[in-house]
Amino acid sequence: MYSPAIVDATDSLTTPSPKLQLRTPQANHRDHAEAYQAGTTDTAKGPCSTVTSSPSTRHFSFSVPYALQLHHCQDCFAESNNLLADILQEGANKTVRTLVCIDAGVIAEQPKLAERISNWFSQRHQLKLVEPPLTIAAGEVAKSDWSVVEQVAEACERGSICRHSYIVVIGGGAVLDAVGLAASLVHRGVRLIRLPTTTLAQADAGLGVKNGINAYQNKNFIGNFAPPWAIINDASFLTSLPLRARRDGIIEAIKVAMIKDVGNYQWLYEKAPAAVHGDDNALQQIIERSALLQGLTFHIAHCAFVT
Ligand SMILES: NC(=O)c1ccc[n+]([C@@H]2O[C@H](COP(=O)([O-])OP(=O)(O)OC[C@H]3O[C@@H](n4cnc5c(N)ncnc54)[C@H](O)[C@@H]3O)[C@@H](O)[C@H]2O)c1
């Protein structure tokens, strides 16, 4: 699935680099079909190619088009907000089974969240919440061992989550990483929808294609690359963060801009002071741009499948 919203938003970037082109799966398929018709797929560059290096040895190379959706919204679980339902129901011809996992730190700040989510699902008959939302250990503890992976895998088994189902994870970057790893392993990949709840996670980690847990005193020692199906940056989650924690996303956005888009860095330089002093609107704009830049470069190109 491909969200045109990402491409439309490039208009707001100050210096879109020619390299920052979002490819749709359709475009990749089209290129492949054209290459096939032209008889040029037999090269290492094609999306699916064969290279003969000796009469007795064949090397095959192929590429898999990945796509993800990035959405921004306010209060995803408001009664009238149908964004998540639209994502879950797209292309479905039967009830969509969903497991929801929530960061314990978010629940501590928003104690009614699990109940709100259950109510939201109960009003949508095409969707089935397989059990009340799971509470996931907060912060880095979630990544400290295999417990969260096992907790989520067991819930998937209990709830008959299959490859047509979804896992929705709500939390900071650490919880996204651990639950993401579980989602990528169960049935070799259940579709994951991330709702990042920290500024760092909305500006960066939510868009990352990495999942992982810490092991043997090494951060992210065990993990994999598996892009989420969709990311929903819900600004209402950020309101329960202390001011200091809100600033984390600005630091991340500066890093992203310095690496990926110098023009955006200048814009950020002018916007950051207001955001640092609590201007939610400025903070929101910074997060949206940073997430967009991440989406356009996808981490994948340079760190996932190439190296
Ligand atoms: N996968 C990636 O591409 C990627 C990229 C960058 C960072 N990361 C990972 O992200 C993690 C850091 O993420 P982080 O900065 O979001 O911190 P975090 O996930 O450790 O969360 C920090 C604390 O904030 C709490 N919290 C989360 N949302 C809240 C909210 N809305 N209100 C109140 N409290 C809230 C959490 O419960 C936790 O106690 C690291 O483990 C890092 O490795 C992953």
Side-chain angles (χ1 to χ4, degrees), residues 103 105-106 138 140 143 172-174 177 197-198 204 210 219 237 240:
D103 187 320
V106 177
E140 212 59 22
K143 296 174 65 171
D177 278 2
T197 58
T198 63
D204 181 44
K210 296 172 281 184
K219 213 160 145 50
F237 280 119
S240 58

Side-chain angles (χ1 to χ4, degrees), residues 28 31 37 45 51 58 68 90 109 124 127 147 152 163 178 182 192 200 209 214 216-217 269 272 279 287 295 303:
N28 282 337
D31 285 357
Q37 279 185 346
K45 288 179 189 156
V51 177
R58 288 268 197 280
L68 53 78
E90 188 161 358
E109 295 295 331
R124 288 162 174 84
L127 306 179
S147 316
V152 174
R163 284 173 61 83
L192 178 75
L200 180 137
V209 298
N214 308 327
Y216 314 114
Q217 287 84 51
Y269 185 78
D279 180 337
I287 287 173
C303 69

Side-chain angles (χ1 to χ4, degrees), residues 249-250 253 267-268 271-272 275 282-291:
I250 304 172
W267 175 88
L268 197 55
K271 212 79 185 171
L283 180 64
Q284 206 46 49
Q285 289 178 33
I286 289 172
I287 287 173
E288 283 186 23
R289 278 204 181 203
S290 180

Side-chain angles (χ1 to χ4, degrees), residues 27-28 43 54 63 70 95 108 111 122 125 130 156 160 172-173 179 196 205 211 215 221 227 252 267 274 276:
N28 282 337
T43 76
S54 83
S63 59
L70 168 64
T95 308
S122 68
H125 301 300
V130 294
C156 287
S160 301
V179 174
N211 303 295
F221 189 81
E252 204 57 39
W267 175 88
V276 166

Side-chain angles (χ1 to χ4, degrees), residues 184-208:
S184 71
L185 296 175
V186 171
H187 301 306
R188 289 166 281 179
V190 174
R191 289 179 282 200
L192 178 75
I193 299 178
R194 293 183 183 149
L195 275 76
T197 58
T198 63
T199 53
L200 180 137
Q202 291 201 0
D204 181 44
L207 268 289

